[in-house]
Amino acid sequence: MVKFIASILLLAVVAQQAYGDFKLPKARKVTEISKTSNDPTNSVMKELKKQNKNVILTHANAGQEEELKHKLICSLEVPEIPKAWLDMKDACISGMRHQIQEEINASYQYLAMGAYFARDTVNRPGFAEQFFKAAKEEREHGSKLVEYLSMRGQLTDNVSNLINVPTVAKQEWRDGASALEDALELEIKVTKSIRKLIATCESKPYNHYHLVDYLTGVYLEEQLHGQRDLAGKLTTLKKMMSTHGELGEFLFDKNL
Amino acid sequence: MKSFIAFALVASLCALAQANEEGVCRNSVVSACGSSSFSALTGFFTGESTSICNARFAGIESIEPEVQAYINSQLTKSYEYLLLATHFNSYQKNRPGFQKLYQGLSDRSFDDSIDLIKKITSRGGIVDFNTRHESPASVSTQRPTLEVDELHSLALALDNEKQLATGATHVHTRATHAALRDPELAHYLEESFLPKQADSVRKLSGYANDLAKLMKVPDPSLSIYLFDEFLQKQ
Ligand SMILES: [Fe+2]
């Protein structure tokens, strides 16, 4: 019991140091409880003091609390290791970071499309599922690029601002065809952006062979097949829409 | 088109049988069907959010903005967790166990977002990804620094999980205490969110306390290494 309270308090202190959002009254309450628990070893502070005497860590609210004398090492030193393997160049790295955000933006846009076609009064579950699936895939594309950067020794810092929560350009569509058209436009934009990234990463004087191969073989491959798929669907739907309108879309949705 | 009108008529007859309290949808169908043009009908059944024939009932009006805020919170946290996982995946951190933990939370929040979107739209609601309605169900899009050590990250995640559980609890409170109650949504939260969230909060509080205990040694590097190994096996 005492150990449990001790660790809660310890954690509260640690967290407070970092974020300042652990409410102190709560921490005090824990101390009070431990004092009233009739346990002779009730003081968490004492126990901690016994363990570590070398560094004094003053409690954020020293005026009200007794001083805590202990040292808890939370952050480990990063040892020196050879750096020559870290061979990605800045332009390519920032291009990758940009592409990651692009993928996340696309994911959000697809989510909005899914949410629109899932509406009761729109009621196109086939479209909705297809767009939700696309949203998941785009998020996956983003996170695979993030993993790639980590694999190449990047992202040891500047991680917090790698992805921003985007807004979406559009949240309502005239019909299924116009959403498919937007989806195709979105993929065209992403394809262009990947091509630009490839150009950046293979440009002189330093060619990122492996990344370029990955982007070409996996990402472009997926883009091209995805575009063909959307173009085919859009064409089929448009053929039916021109004479059968709503019925065309209704049937198309059920077969998606 | 004919079959569609027939379908609408059948639907309206069903509504009649149920003695719909206002019969607004039925009335609109009746007047539209008597109208001289097709366009009178399309207005009711296309994707316009003003359609009278919709799925909105019970407390949807008061709960819709709360759920919207909550969906945006889940998405925000999903990306926060993704970056936290990324931080522990760097060669300097190299903590696959922590990475796995946060990647899992990120995926969960993303899947939960889609689930919530499906829920609110099934009830005739819409989702707004751009406006951030101020609510206890919202979280700040201002991202905290995620380049933190192992114990701090657990504290951060515990706070996050509690924030998400509090958000769901708030939506639930709205569903059960607003003037127009919404037991269906309350039940959904009770079944699909609250127990799972309680488990997640409990798990992280356990982790945080365990690691804090293990770190009460002059050099905690081995403790953290072992704890990471433990997390990998979870
Ligand atoms: Fe993509």
Side-chain angles (χ1 to χ4, degrees), chain A residues 99 103 106 137-139 141-142 187 190 194 219 222-223:
Chain A
Q99 185 61 35
E103 301 284 349
E137 282 170 8
E138 294 309 326
R139 176 176 174 273
H141 295 165
E187 293 303 334
V190 172
I194 293 171
Y219 278 72
E222 184 142 353
Q223 285 308 117

Side-chain angles (χ1 to χ4, degrees), chain B residues 166-218:
Chain B
T166 306
T169 305
H170 167 77
V171 181
H172 183 271
T173 306
R174 269 302 182 86
T176 45
H177 289 86
L180 276 171
R181 301 191 178 177
D182 206 310
E184 197 273 332
L185 239 149
H187 170 74
Y188 166 73
L189 289 166
E190 281 168 19
E191 188 160 271
S192 309
F193 279 80
L194 298 171
K196 194 168 83 174
Q197 288 174 326
D199 287 347
S200 170
V201 167
R202 165 67 184 82
K203 191 174 81 178
L204 281 161
S205 119
Y207 288 167
N209 283 287
D210 264 348
L211 184 59
K213 277 177 211 163
L214 300 177
M215 283 177 70
K216 288 191 290 182
V217 289

Side-chain angles (χ1 to χ4, degrees), chain B:
Chain B
M1 201 65 197
K2 268 184 190 167
S3 63
F4 196 58
I5 293 172
F7 172 75
L9 279 172
V10 171
S12 63
L13 282 172
C14 294
L16 202 145
Q18 279 178 357
N20 187 317
E21 54 176 24
E22 291 176 52
V24 280
C25 178
R26 181 164 48 95
N27 291 343
S28 73
V29 171
V30 168
S31 62
C33 293
S35 147
S36 55
S37 73
F38 278 139
S39 60
L41 241 182
T42 52
F44 297 112
F45 295 106
T46 54
E48 286 160 39
S49 46
T50 49
S51 171
I52 282 168
C53 294
N54 59 44
R56 299 172 75 86
F57 69 96
I60 187 70
E61 291 298 330
S62 59
I63 213 163
E64 186 179 17
E66 308 301 327
V67 175
Q68 284 181 356
Y70 194 56
I71 290 168
N72 285 321
S73 301
Q74 287 279 3
L75 284 171
T76 302
K77 290 299 174 193
S78 165
Y79 287 108
E80 197 173 307
Y81 279 132
L82 183 68
L83 294 178
L84 202 54
T86 301
H87 169 59
F88 286 102
N89 191 32
S90 81
Y91 79 93
Q92 288 184 352
K93 277 289 171 191
N94 206 33
R95 300 282 186 219
F98 281 87
Q99 185 212 0
K100 186 182 164 197
L101 173 66
Y102 300 132
Q103 184 68 48
L105 291 173
S106 174
D107 293 346
R108 179 224 49 199
S109 276
F110 191 77
D111 292 342
D112 280 356
S113 303
I114 292 185
D115 213 50
L116 281 161
I117 292 171
K118 287 179 178 170
K119 184 75 220 173
I120 196 68
T121 51
S122 83
R123 290 293 312 280
I126 63 169
V127 187
D128 188 341
F129 294 95
N130 289 345
T131 12
R132 279 168 192 274
H133 159 74
E134 271 304 313
S135 151
S138 328
V139 297
S140 167
T141 49
Q142 216 62 9
R143 188 168 290 133
T145 302
L146 301 173
E147 289 89 348
V148 292
D149 60 66
E150 290 77 3
L151 184 57
H152 280 137
S153 75
L154 289 175
L156 186 71
L158 176 60
D159 285 351
N160 270 346
E161 290 304 286
K162 280 193 192 173
Q163 224 179 338
L164 289 175
T166 306
T169 305
H170 167 77
V171 181
H172 183 271
T173 306
R174 269 302 182 86
T176 45
H177 289 86
L180 276 171
R181 301 191 178 177
D182 206 310
E184 197 273 332
L185 239 149
H187 170 74
Y188 166 73
L189 289 166
E190 281 168 19
E191 188 160 271
S192 309
F193 279 80
L194 298 171
K196 194 168 83 174
Q197 288 174 326
D199 287 347
S200 170
V201 167
R202 165 67 184 82
K203 191 174 81 178
L204 281 161
S205 119
Y207 288 167
N209 283 287
D210 264 348
L211 184 59
K213 277 177 211 163
L214 300 177
M215 283 177 70
K216 288 191 290 182
V217 289
D219 176 9
S221 58
L222 186 59
S223 303
I224 301 175
Y225 176 80
L226 288 172
F227 194 77
D228 182 70
E229 208 170 45
F230 159 78
L231 285 181
Q232 274 182 71
K233 290 178 191 146
Q234 296 311 297

